[in-house]
Amino acid sequence: MNLNTITEVKRPASADQITQWRAGYAWLAGGTWLYSEPQVLTDTLIDLDALLWPALERSPAGLDIAATCRIAELYRFSGPAEWRAAPLIRECCNALLASFKIWNAATVGGNICMSLPAGPMISLTVALEATYTLWPRDASPRDVRAVDFVTGNHGNVLRPGELLRGIHLPAAALSKRFAFRRASLTQLGRSAALVIGTRSTAADDLLITITAATPRPIQLRFEHAPSAMELRHALDERIQADGYFNDVHGSAAYKRHLTTYFAEQIRAELAQPGAGA
Ligand SMILES: Cc1cc2nc3c(=O)[nH]c(=O)nc-3n(C[C@H](O)[C@H](O)[C@H](O)COP(=O)(O)OP(=O)(O)OC[C@H]3O[C@@H](n4cnc5c(N)ncnc54)[C@H](O)[C@@H]3O)c2cc1C
């Protein structure tokens, strides 16, 4: 849609050119959400496109994803064989309810900064133990763990004017075995629950990441694989019955049921040697 409150679009070649921040400014990434509804409080868009950050950089340390990397570009990435969890990238890209236009325009950073419960780039990066690099306007860059970034439905730790610069997925997490489960009320609908489990190849640890069913990502870390009962207790203790996200994409009770069901499936799957490889 046309945003008739916008009076200026800035196209800086470097983020440093935006030294002052005021109410009414908004970073513009793919624009798929910004242009989807009126932005009555916004008068200036600052387009990230001209920053020309390299979308994907692979190194022995892991994968660095620019916030401006398109979801379609990330989808095409294929990692080395030892990154057993790399197929999670496609699973999570496919979890974005998206038309052709959204798929090709939406960015990884825009999805994370929207901070919706069903943000699949949040699911992916939290499950893979990512670190986000944030660029404040008036201070040094800071790193935050992906699991600490989203604070609630459409809420996060970004301060006014702060820019998400990039996402680092560590090679150690990319090398883990994984299991993925997702459900939606409609075939191409927004996720009601998206649960990912990862496990080191040489240990019997388990990391369960719950997204979409809760307002913010919830992660359960076990040093040793839990029994079904231990997992159930840990889930109930960590997420109270009213801690699930109730919306048109599923009631809280339904999402609780899915979460419990999927978490147990994942536990059982990853307990089998060689599964999720
Ligand atoms: C029909 C439809 C269906 C959708 N379905 C889903 C869905 O299933 N799940 C979901 O999560 N979202 C969904 N969305 C919302 C949105 O399209 C996606 O979240 C998308 O990934 C946003 O990315 P973008 O690059 O287009 O962000 P933009 O629209 O450009 O920006 C989104 C917000 O993030 C801010 N922002 C963007 N990049 C940065 C950055 N690097 N640093 C700081 N702030 C930044 C912007 O200022 C803005 O507030 C849907 C939207 C539509 C219209």
Side-chain angles (χ1 to χ4, degrees):
M1 65 157 54
N2 290 331
L3 297 179
N4 58 12
T5 53
I6 303 300
T7 54
E8 187 180 3
V9 179
K10 295 179 188 287
R11 293 196 170 81
S14 155
D16 295 340
Q17 290 172 6
I18 308 299
T19 50
Q20 302 292 323
W21 191 265
R22 64 162 173 79
Y25 277 16
W27 299 113
L28 168 65
T32 61
W33 176 75
L34 276 170
Y35 284 101
S36 73
E37 55 182 76
Q39 304 292 342
V40 289
L41 300 177
T42 305
D43 57 55
T44 302
L45 295 175
I46 303 166
D47 194 345
L48 301 177
D49 236 16
L51 300 178
L52 300 178
W53 294 332
L56 295 165
E57 293 179 292
R58 196 183 114 188
S59 74
L63 181 64
D64 286 289
I65 307 170
T68 46
C69 174
R70 310 272 164 197
I71 290 178
E73 283 176 282
L74 181 62
Y75 182 84
R76 289 192 290 270
F77 175 78
S78 68
E82 63 270 24
W83 287 3
R84 291 173 196 80
L88 264 180
I89 291 176
R90 288 196 172 186
E91 296 277 16
C92 290
C93 290
N94 280 327
L96 179 72
L97 157 67
S99 63
F100 173 82
K101 199 163 75 177
I102 289 185
W103 178 264
N104 283 283
T107 64
V108 176
N111 190 259
I112 291 170
C113 294
M114 276 301 294
S115 300
L116 299 177
M121 297 299 104
I122 300 165
S123 318
L124 173 72
T125 55
V126 172
L128 291 179
E129 301 165 69
T131 303
Y132 299 164
T133 299
L134 309 183
W135 281 3
R137 289 307 79 221
D138 53 0
S140 305
R142 62 177 181 132
D143 286 346
V144 299
R145 295 188 315 153
V147 67
D148 298 326
F149 181 83
V150 177
T151 52
N153 179 24
H154 209 21
N156 58 47
V157 302
L158 284 176
R159 298 172 188 146
E162 201 164 28
L163 184 61
L164 171 60
R165 164 62 182 89
I167 300 107
H168 175 73
L169 303 181
L174 280 160
S175 304
K176 290 184 176 182
R177 297 195 284 132
F178 76 94
F180 173 98
R181 296 289 187 283
R182 170 182 180 260
S184 166
L185 279 177
T186 52
Q187 199 192 348
L188 296 174
R190 198 170 280 197
S191 304
L194 197 163
V195 186
I196 296 172
T198 60
R199 184 171 178 172
S200 308
T201 41
D204 76 338
D205 58 336
L206 180 66
L207 185 65
I208 298 272
T209 302
I210 296 147
T211 49
T214 48
R216 53 162 304 196
I218 300 287
Q219 204 160 48
L220 301 175
R221 189 181 288 273
F222 300 90
E223 293 305 321
H224 299 288
S227 65
M229 195 61 83
E230 285 165 343
L231 175 60
R232 182 65 201 251
H233 281 318
L235 271 174
D236 287 346
E237 201 171 279
R238 186 69 191 279
I239 317 172
Q240 307 296 314
D242 59 0
Y244 288 88
F245 186 58
N246 194 24
D247 72 349
V248 293
H249 305 290
S251 68
Y254 172 63
K255 291 180 180 179
R256 184 186 190 199
H257 169 74
L258 288 177
T259 301
T260 312
Y261 182 67
F262 287 160
E264 170 51 22
Q265 281 193 342
I266 287 171
R267 185 201 67 80
E269 181 177 325
L270 290 178
Q272 309 206 359

